[in-house]
Amino acid sequence: MASTSASVAGVEVSLDHWIGGKRVSSSDRFDNASPVDGSDLGAVAAGGKREADMAVEAAREAFPAWAALGAEGRLPVLRKFAEGLLARGKDIAAVETLDNGSLLTGNMHRMVPRAAQNISFFAEWALGLQDHAIDHAEVVNNVRYDPAGVAALITPWNAPMMLTTWKVGPALAAGNTIVIKPPEWAPLTCSLLADIAHEAGLPAGVLNVVQGIGEDAGDALVNNPGLARISFTGSTDTAKIIGQAAARSITGMSSELGGKSPFIVCADADLDAAAQTVAGQYINAGQVCLAGTRILVEASIEAAFLEKVRAAAARMTVGDPREAATRVGPLIHPEHFARVSGFVERAKAAGAEVLWGGARSDVGALYFQPTMFAGVRAQDEIAQKEVFGPVLTWQTFTDDGEAIAIANGTEYGLAGTLFCGNEERAMRIASAVVAGTLWVNCFFVRDLAAPFGGSRTSGVGREGGTHSFDFYCDIKNIAVRKGSFASKGN
Ligand code: ADP
């Protein structure tokens, strides 16, 4: 079968799989259209069991040699991989924007450098992993971080390059080989990732990409018995299905899932900074799992703060994500648009008050106005379910206990944001909110060394720093009796 590619934003992108160091095609294809302007981005290979099995086999074959290199041996090629991502930064940013509608400037200045860092940071962190020893009266416990095997990495469409490299970095640095299943609504930058890895000298079979629909290619991949790990970022419902496959084969799984995160604003906070940050939740049309979508405001400042947020939200220009002035681009897909508008219409029907927005924007078919709902009750669907669009809710609280109760009143526990002027109070509230990450007087600051993940139905496990290696490695303890050797060396 001939290999197929497309010119996307002037960049040549293969629409095929990458398996065992070669492009592999499939006769089944799926259509991929740009949410920016509806343009056709090409028919992408739709893999299934055949392609998933081939990729796992290629990864298994490549594993022993890659694992044997050790962290030091892997470092040079992973550094080159990171440099390659930076060198192709303009291409990656342009393709990602056209493929998923995320902001071009954000992709260029934040996403690409971060993707490169995801590779280089973990490659360097891996160097120190084997130094860990725990002294005991009788023995020395030598803690070893052994490569686990083949890891399946499954990622969503809202930030494919950033979220995929966040898994690729530690998985490869740990000595694993990988099979990536990119999101079918934004599959293209993962294809570029394969080219860049290859150009950097990553051996054949170490990094594989199987394109396809989640229920076909993804399902075949997670049910392959040759996997040692599954790392998944996506919806809670999909995680429940993948988790069952992982359970059948006792395969370690890490999952980072949805959220309905609270954004708490205390009366003594820097209200201008808080208002600006609230409006920032509309960026990328709110298709950000970490977004603080439930605005909880101390009642005594409600009126004044609402005016500040209203003004800041009015500056969130809806438009083509390639334009520098745009803050809110399109929703990813007509199906997703229908889902977001469904939430909005049901909220209106249930009696919620639209403070602003609430309808399609006249920019284009998939563009939705930044929206704020007031008059919502804690149990309303719009206050409970993840919308994944530019839709926020507005509630008030009169004391910290009430703020914490509302904050914790959903099934989720991914993140939270708090603006507060008093340190003790801030730490008291922050400690009581159930979340994997709680930002105080800031938002979206993510240190690669810090633990990251979700509580409750927002996920299982933590990645970041050593936590990533706790997941991607088989950790072994070699307990050696002290003074038990007659000699050292050969
Ligand atoms: P989202 O709502 O963010 O699209 P999904 O959970 O549907 O989240 O998708 C996230 C990723 O999971 C995508 O790459 C998708 O193809 C994949 N996926 C969806 N269903 C399955 C499945 N049954 N098995 C494996 N992967 C799946």
XYZ file of all heavy atoms in Angstrom, residues 313-355:
319
model
N -13.782 39.360 30.562
C -14.339 38.370 29.622
C -14.624 39.020 28.269
O -14.456 38.386 27.223
C -15.604 37.740 30.188
N -15.030 40.292 28.296
C -15.337 40.991 27.040
C -14.085 41.156 26.185
O -14.174 41.346 24.976
C -15.956 42.349 27.348
N -12.921 41.090 26.827
C -11.661 41.216 26.072
C -11.188 39.872 25.491
O -10.170 39.811 24.816
C -10.571 41.809 26.969
C -10.811 43.282 27.334
C -9.571 43.906 27.968
N -9.260 43.325 29.262
C -9.741 43.759 30.432
N -10.578 44.789 30.455
N -9.400 43.184 31.561
N -11.928 38.803 25.778
C -11.532 37.475 25.274
C -12.082 37.314 23.856
O -13.145 36.728 23.636
C -12.072 36.374 26.199
C -11.553 36.459 27.612
S -9.746 36.355 27.725
C -9.482 34.636 27.354
N -11.318 37.849 22.908
C -11.760 37.883 21.516
C -11.947 36.477 20.942
O -11.035 35.643 21.023
C -10.695 38.610 20.668
O -10.383 39.818 21.339
C -11.179 38.889 19.261
N -13.118 36.244 20.397
C -13.376 34.970 19.717
C -12.931 35.123 18.268
O -13.228 36.140 17.627
C -14.882 34.621 19.751
C -15.136 33.268 19.083
C -15.410 34.623 21.184
N -12.206 34.146 17.744
C -11.764 34.294 16.355
C -10.900 33.154 15.884
O -10.771 32.120 16.562
N -10.298 33.364 14.752
C -9.403 32.384 14.142
C -8.177 32.216 15.049
O -7.495 33.201 15.365
C -8.981 32.920 12.754
C -8.167 31.906 11.970
O -7.295 31.245 12.567
O -8.406 31.794 10.753
N -7.889 30.990 15.475
C -6.791 30.796 16.442
C -5.410 31.104 15.875
O -4.436 31.140 16.626
C -6.918 29.324 16.822
C -7.632 28.694 15.687
C -8.555 29.740 15.128
N -5.336 31.340 14.560
C -4.037 31.706 13.978
C -3.733 33.185 14.159
O -2.606 33.625 13.960
C -4.017 31.334 12.491
C -4.049 29.827 12.270
C -4.313 29.471 10.833
N -5.659 29.879 10.406
C -6.215 29.533 9.253
N -5.563 28.764 8.423
N -7.422 29.939 8.936
N -4.753 33.974 14.508
C -4.550 35.415 14.679
C -4.081 35.720 16.094
O -4.636 35.164 17.061
C -5.855 36.157 14.441
C -6.598 35.602 13.256
C -6.924 36.635 12.224
O -7.445 37.678 12.628
O -6.643 36.382 11.040
N -3.119 36.640 16.201
C -2.501 36.903 17.510
C -3.517 37.466 18.513
O -3.385 37.243 19.719
C -1.340 37.875 17.334
N -4.533 38.182 18.055
C -5.476 38.814 18.986
C -6.513 37.827 19.536
O -7.201 38.124 20.515
C -6.208 39.950 18.269
N -6.606 36.670 18.934
C -7.643 35.713 19.350
C -7.308 35.067 20.696
O -6.166 34.699 20.952
C -7.809 34.612 18.270
O -8.247 35.235 17.075
C -8.803 33.555 18.693
N -8.323 34.959 21.538
C -8.167 34.262 22.820
C -9.031 33.002 22.862
O -8.759 32.070 23.597
C -8.563 35.184 23.982
C -7.627 36.351 24.197
C -6.291 35.868 24.788
N -5.263 36.886 24.743
C -4.458 37.109 23.700
N -4.545 36.372 22.607
N -3.552 38.066 23.745
N -10.122 33.021 22.106
C -11.058 31.899 22.134
C -11.251 31.399 20.702
O -11.809 32.103 19.861
C -12.421 32.332 22.720
C -13.376 31.144 22.793
C -12.236 32.959 24.104
N -10.736 30.207 20.434
C -10.868 29.616 19.101
C -12.115 28.744 19.018
O -13.050 28.892 19.807
N -12.123 27.815 18.064
C -13.314 26.980 17.869
C -13.366 25.790 18.817
O -12.357 25.401 19.401
C -13.116 26.472 16.438
C -11.622 26.397 16.304
C -11.069 27.564 17.077
N -14.545 25.196 18.919
C -14.662 23.871 19.514
C -14.172 22.868 18.470
O -14.166 23.147 17.274
C -16.107 23.604 19.935
C -16.606 24.513 21.072
C -18.107 24.341 21.289
C -15.857 24.231 22.369
N -13.759 21.704 18.935
C -12.999 20.793 18.065
C -13.795 20.182 16.926
O -13.260 19.941 15.846
C -12.354 19.671 18.928
C -11.526 18.671 18.090
C -13.412 18.872 19.671
C -10.159 19.090 17.810
N -15.087 19.924 17.119
C -15.796 19.033 16.179
C -17.302 19.305 16.289
O -17.776 19.654 17.382
C -15.478 17.590 16.618
C -15.872 16.522 15.664
N -17.141 15.975 15.635
C -15.173 15.878 14.702
C -17.187 15.044 14.703
N -16.014 14.969 14.123
N -18.045 19.122 15.208
C -19.499 19.337 15.290
C -20.160 18.532 16.415
O -21.060 19.037 17.087
C -20.007 18.875 13.923
C -18.835 19.048 13.006
C -17.615 18.806 13.831
N -19.692 17.295 16.633
C -20.289 16.478 17.719
C -20.040 17.128 19.070
O -20.901 17.122 19.951
C -19.602 15.105 17.762
C -20.385 13.995 17.133
C -19.582 12.701 17.173
O -19.062 12.321 18.252
O -19.438 12.090 16.101
N -18.836 17.668 19.227
C -18.522 18.305 20.505
C -19.290 19.619 20.658
O -19.752 19.948 21.754
C -17.014 18.537 20.637
C -16.607 19.005 22.003
N -16.899 18.296 23.147
C -15.974 20.135 22.418
C -16.458 18.964 24.201
N -15.890 20.078 23.779
N -19.447 20.333 19.539
C -20.235 21.568 19.576
C -21.662 21.252 20.058
O -22.222 21.953 20.911
C -20.273 22.214 18.184
C -20.900 23.580 18.188
C -20.122 24.719 18.273
C -22.285 23.719 18.141
C -20.706 25.984 18.311
C -22.879 24.972 18.175
C -22.088 26.103 18.248
N -22.219 20.172 19.509
C -23.587 19.791 19.883
C -23.647 19.438 21.375
O -24.627 19.747 22.067
C -24.045 18.610 19.037
N -22.577 18.827 21.863
C -22.544 18.430 23.272
C -22.527 19.676 24.169
O -23.283 19.783 25.138
C -21.282 17.586 23.495
C -21.240 16.875 24.783
C -20.087 15.868 24.839
N -19.991 15.383 26.194
C -19.281 15.994 27.144
N -18.578 17.059 26.856
N -19.275 15.527 28.372
N -21.644 20.639 23.799
C -21.527 21.872 24.593
C -22.851 22.651 24.540
O -23.374 23.082 25.572
C -20.349 22.741 24.089
C -20.363 24.118 24.726
C -19.022 22.035 24.367
N -23.422 22.800 23.328
C -24.684 23.557 23.274
C -25.801 22.827 24.006
O -26.693 23.472 24.554
C -25.186 23.876 21.870
O -24.349 23.482 20.903
N -25.740 21.500 24.014
C -26.738 20.732 24.766
C -26.706 21.092 26.245
O -27.751 21.335 26.868
N -25.487 21.166 26.811
C -25.352 21.558 28.228
C -25.944 22.954 28.444
O -26.641 23.205 29.433
C -23.879 21.574 28.631
C -23.352 20.233 29.073
C -22.377 19.579 28.337
C -23.817 19.633 30.233
C -21.880 18.339 28.742
C -23.321 18.405 30.655
C -22.354 17.752 29.895
N -25.631 23.862 27.511
C -26.067 25.258 27.676
C -27.592 25.352 27.587
O -28.236 26.003 28.428
C -25.376 26.156 26.612
C -25.993 27.542 26.566
C -23.881 26.233 26.899
N -28.165 24.668 26.621
C -29.630 24.731 26.454
C -30.336 24.109 27.653
O -31.346 24.631 28.127
C -30.055 24.061 25.143
C -29.610 24.817 23.893
C -29.923 26.323 23.951
O -31.049 26.687 24.357
O -29.028 27.133 23.626
N -29.816 22.991 28.134
C -30.465 22.347 29.301
C -30.328 23.223 30.544
O -31.242 23.288 31.363
C -29.860 20.957 29.550
C -30.273 19.920 28.492
C -29.934 18.497 28.931
N -28.507 18.287 29.128
C -27.637 18.037 28.142
N -28.054 17.973 26.885
N -26.352 17.844 28.402
N -29.206 23.931 30.672
C -29.044 24.823 31.831
C -30.065 25.957 31.769
O -30.687 26.317 32.781
C -27.623 25.378 31.867
N -30.234 26.514 30.562
C -31.237 27.587 30.411
C -32.626 27.052 30.768
O -33.391 27.695 31.495
C -31.259 28.090 28.958
C -30.054 28.900 28.525
C -30.273 29.295 27.054
C -29.035 29.840 26.410
N -29.167 29.927 24.943
N -32.921 25.856 30.245
C -34.253 25.275 30.480
C -34.471 24.996 31.968
O -35.603 25.069 32.464
C -34.399 23.992 29.667
N -33.369 24.710 32.683
C -33.490 24.414 34.116
C -33.575 25.696 34.948
O -33.668 25.643 36.176
C -32.308 23.569 34.569
N -33.483 26.861 34.284
C -33.695 28.127 34.998
C -32.437 28.910 35.305
O -32.498 29.946 35.977
N -31.272 28.452 34.818
C -30.043 29.219 35.080
C -30.085 30.520 34.281
O -30.660 30.570 33.191
C -28.832 28.391 34.677
N -29.450 31.545 34.849
C -29.471 32.860 34.196
C -28.182 33.057 33.391
O -27.076 32.854 33.920
C -29.555 33.921 35.300
C -29.551 35.346 34.786
C -29.280 36.354 35.924
O -29.235 35.932 37.108
O -29.100 37.532 35.610
N -28.329 33.435 32.125
C -27.149 33.682 31.293
C -26.649 35.100 31.579
O -27.321 36.075 31.270
C -27.493 33.548 29.787
C -26.266 33.869 28.930
C -28.005 32.155 29.467
N -25.461 35.225 32.177
C -24.913 36.565 32.442
C -24.289 37.137 31.178
O -24.327 38.331 30.951
C -23.881 36.508 33.562
C -24.439 36.225 34.962
C -23.310 36.145 35.977
C -25.449 37.289 35.368
